[in-house]
Amino acid sequence: MVIVVMGVSGSGKSTLARALAEAWNWDFQEGDELHPPANIDKMRAGLALDDDDRRPWLERVAAWIAAELARGRDGVVTCSALKRRYRDRLRRAGAGVRFVCIELPPAELERRLRRRRHFMPASLLDSQLRTLEVPDAAENVLVMAGEDATEDIVAAVGRWLEQDDAAG
């Protein structure tokens, strides 16, 4: 199984994904590391990515997922996965893909982005929020409040996966 921890920039994807990987001894991949250099340069310049920019990045994320599943390894990867078609592309990487979406109020996201050093500036938050297609019930995505303690979210993800396994 591979869990994609998704959400807009500043939501806490990396923190949660690392905690899940450490708690369960799963492989971890920081999705930001899979961005082509041109994407990073564009974001550093304060320019929002479009679908064409994201395509090679999503292909790299999907390739990482497919490789993990092919090796029979469990893993966790971060990816904003803002649109349903992006999530659908990642699902096609293999049957064991699950999504956990972290949500936070825009003011908290902005506060977090202004505090950190990252190639994604706070000025691009509005663009990400406009692009985000919130997962609906048909997608079977666990949506978590980013204000909750990381260990509580890890426990909730574990319970969700157990229920998902029992139902499937």
Side-chain angles (χ1 to χ4, degrees):
M1 175 182 303
V2 172
I3 297 173
V4 179
V5 178
M6 62 162 289
V8 300
S9 190
S11 61
K13 295 183 298 290
S14 299
T15 299
L16 177 58
R18 279 190 191 94
L20 290 168
E22 288 174 12
W24 301 336
N25 196 29
W26 287 13
D27 295 339
F28 168 72
Q29 175 62 55
E30 173 57 61
D32 284 346
E33 294 174 2
L34 300 175
H35 269 294
N39 284 6
I40 294 171
D41 291 344
K42 191 171 181 178
M43 287 183 279
R44 274 197 180 116
L47 302 171
L49 300 181
D50 60 24
D51 289 346
D52 289 335
D53 297 320
R54 289 185 181 105
R55 190 171 296 113
W57 172 59
L58 291 166
E59 291 303 321
R60 289 176 176 183
V61 174
W64 186 86
I65 292 168
E68 284 292 290
L69 296 172
R71 288 193 305 264
R73 303 270 311 161
D74 295 314
V76 185
V77 61
T78 61
C79 178
S80 57
L82 298 174
K83 294 184 179 183
R84 183 173 185 152
R85 71 174 174 254
Y86 301 167
R87 296 186 292 274
D88 289 345
R89 170 60 193 102
L90 298 179
R91 284 186 186 95
R92 289 193 301 272
V97 180
R98 303 290 184 275
F99 287 84
V100 174
C101 178
I102 307 173
E103 291 186 331
L104 278 168
E108 176 60 15
L109 291 166
E110 185 170 349
R111 187 187 71 75
R112 289 181 178 195
L113 288 173
R114 292 199 185 284
R115 272 191 355 207
R116 73 179 190 172
R117 293 190 192 278
H118 191 267
F119 57 79
M120 172 76 178
S123 63
L124 292 178
L125 177 60
D126 285 341
S127 168
Q128 284 209 328
L129 291 171
R130 281 191 308 274
T131 303
L132 177 63
E133 296 171 1
V134 177
D136 61 30
E139 286 192 78
N140 191 29
V141 173
L142 177 63
V143 178
M144 297 298 305
E147 300 99 329
D148 293 345
T150 302
E151 58 271 13
D152 293 340
I153 299 174
V154 169
V157 171
R159 289 189 300 274
W160 177 67
L161 293 175
E162 287 172 8
Q163 292 171 354
D164 195 45
D165 283 346

